[in-house]
Amino acid sequence: MINPVKSATEELKKLIGAALEKIAAESGADASALPKFTVEIPADKSHGDFATNAALASAKALRSNPRKIAEGITANISLEGTSFEKVEIAGPGFINFFLSKSWFGNVVTDILNESTRYGRTDTGAGKKILLEFVSANPTGPMHVGNARGGALGDCLASVLDYAGYNVCREFYINDAGNQVNKFGKSLDLRYMQLNDPANAEFVKSFGTDTEALCHAVYDDTERFPMPDDVYLGVDIITHAKNFTDINGDKYYSVSEEERRAALVDYALPINIKNLELDLGKYRIIYDNWFHESTLHNDGSVQRIIEKLKASGYTYEQEGALWFRSTELGDDKDRVLVRANGVPTYFVPDIAYHYNKLAERNFDTAIDILGADHHGYIPRMKAAMKALGVDENRLDMVIMQMVMLIDKDGNPIKLSKRSGKAITLVTLLEDIPIDAARFFFNLREANSQFEFDLDLAIEQSSQNPVYYVQYAHARICSIIRNMRGKGIFADESKADLTLLTAPEEIELIRALAVLPNTVDMAARDYDPSKITRYAIDLATLFHKFYDKCHIMGEAEELMQARLMLCTAVKTVLKNVLDMLKVNCPDKM
RNA sequence: GCGCCAUUAACUCAGCUGGAUAGAGUAACUGCCUUCUAAGCAGUAAGCCGCUGGUUCGAAUCCAGCAUGGCGCGCCA
């Protein structure tokens, strides 16, 4: 794995560390008492390619002033044979290092050699991560929040993969419990309405136009009243109608229990299939779809209750079984089994996480959660602790809500009752997939963002994603034009030391930083660092393009710039691949 | 009331986990297409980094308190 910045940083740390030890020894100070120092890339380019605060940080331990220490350090460092060609002391005692020309040239050749592998690191060391995201309820269509969660989760999985982790993308299907009961009840009510003899004429008047009928039923709350505790969406009516088309009214007179079961057995698999299809259109392919029902069927839920009881962290009160989570860092105790004997949702969830970490042995499990579920973190960690699983192996990424606003800045209500809820599907009909995936990863998960839906649709052509794609298309165009004139890449004729224009140096620096950026994005579970990297790189390329010509330059320079362009093209491609965003050759 | 998260340019956001003169993109204004894609580039203007203290060589960054906003605090999921 090639990481030019990391190699240079480590090289520098060794040089500085050795010099410091020498100074400490000479002055009789204790070398082990020296504090840690940092090596970083300064914001201001005039401060060199790398800077260290070693002299400032060690001032106390060495009982000397920083500038003097800095002089000592530089006097004890020989740059010969290193990646650096110049060192200087600046400000209160910073030491600035300047990379040699050959280092920049090597970055370009390294990238061309590494090709599609460039950007990958081995930081994760193959550790197994289970990343669960979206996990929308299969009782209805996905909404805008799922669009963000999907883009975030899928790109995070890619980032972790690039950082050397072994990632499994998983969708947890809540196909059991109260949600499903409510789903059955909703379907049942609609089925009964549609098959009520009193409504026969009305239903018949729509003929085969199911969609019109469903909307008419939806709007006619007088004729088709619905209680509060059921799903009201049109999709429920559509299921009931389609079920009726297949089975007629033969379930009209059977027991409610039998009818509900039949309706759920019919509609739930369809919904699950649709989730898979819709997410697939969004370029999200899961490695595994985990059914909650399996945890009930194979006894896991019951076993978890026994395990928790055995842990000693449970007690009974008012007929219910409680989890003493307060003692494990939660702010209150939680009910595990209700007085009526039915476990709360919490128990299968514990069983699920236990399954991930203790039974399937993932090193780490990551959940992407909506901010409204943040209170769930301490209780799940508490449960893992009680079960003897290291709670640090469970990580939660909190994703703030997406607030849709209209042109006037008024929030668009996502009420299901209004029937105007914006689904993931309709959103993706309006916004190109590339733009949506990129857009939703422009900001950190934990920043809530409002977005103007009208603007997102209207301005899709000025979305940053096009800016990045344009850079790639431009490079492809250059290469095409050169080929058209019979000019081909020939590395043996290139002289990379000619790449000295500020635009070229900046561009190479940005190329070099990709593996570090991947590591940081993985460390912070933050794919937005990658989208911003892509934008930064595109910016630097556009600047380079404006300033530096390729065709028409002397052979050695032309070939060197062509290599640089190819390296940029490679990196843009790798980065957009990571985000699963298209990378067009022409725009 | 308690907890979590936020607060940086007119707007949307970065700021590499404590470093040097706080940065981008939008929007506004001004330039640049007879040579590789103007979906581009260059420039101008715009800041009490929410407020007040503390920690130290050094704070947008760490700590405490306060203010404002969002979200949670069910034998719902």
Side-chain angles (χ1 to χ4, degrees), chain A residues 58-134:
Chain A
S58 323
K60 228 176 210 171
L62 293 174
R63 274 187 238 105
S64 177
N65 80 65
R67 276 199 80 102
K68 206 165 179 184
I69 297 169
E71 279 164 27
I73 291 173
T74 54
N76 278 294
I77 287 180
S78 162
L79 294 180
E80 208 159 316
T82 70
S83 306
F84 303 90
E85 63 178 21
K86 198 174 91 179
V87 55
E88 60 185 33
I89 300 166
F94 288 101
I95 308 174
N96 301 330
F97 294 86
F98 295 79
L99 289 161
S100 65
K101 284 196 187 73
S102 62
W103 184 86
F104 287 94
N106 286 341
V107 170
V108 174
T109 48
D110 281 348
I111 291 169
L112 296 184
N113 290 336
E114 287 283 287
S115 184
T116 55
R117 288 188 309 271
Y118 182 70
R120 290 187 174 272
T121 75
D122 49 16
T123 307
K127 279 191 186 164
K128 285 170 65 190
I129 293 185
L130 188 139
L131 178 61
E132 182 212 330
F133 60 103
V134 181

Side-chain angles (χ1 to χ4, degrees), chain A residues 1-3 6 10 119-125 156 159-165 513-526 529-530 578:
Chain A
M1 304 282 174
I2 298 282
N3 188 339
K6 196 175 172 189
E10 282 169 2
R120 290 187 174 272
T121 75
D122 49 16
T123 307
L156 175 56
V159 166
L160 292 168
D161 177 56
Y162 266 71
Y165 293 92
V513 138
L514 175 62
N516 271 35
T517 308
V518 167
D519 277 345
M520 282 192 283
R523 179 198 64 194
D524 297 342
Y525 296 155
D526 180 15
K529 288 189 163 55
I530 301 298
M578 203 184 317

Side-chain angles (χ1 to χ4, degrees), chain A residues 190 194 202 206 209-221 224 232-235 237-238 241 418-420:
Chain A
R190 290 305 193 184
L194 290 170
F202 181 87
F206 286 89
D209 193 346
T210 298
E211 196 179 331
L213 168 65
C214 292
H215 278 95
V217 169
Y218 183 84
D219 290 334
D220 192 345
T221 51
F224 303 100
L232 296 164
V234 180
D235 55 300
I237 308 171
T238 308
K241 174 66 169 80
S418 76
K420 285 180 184 169

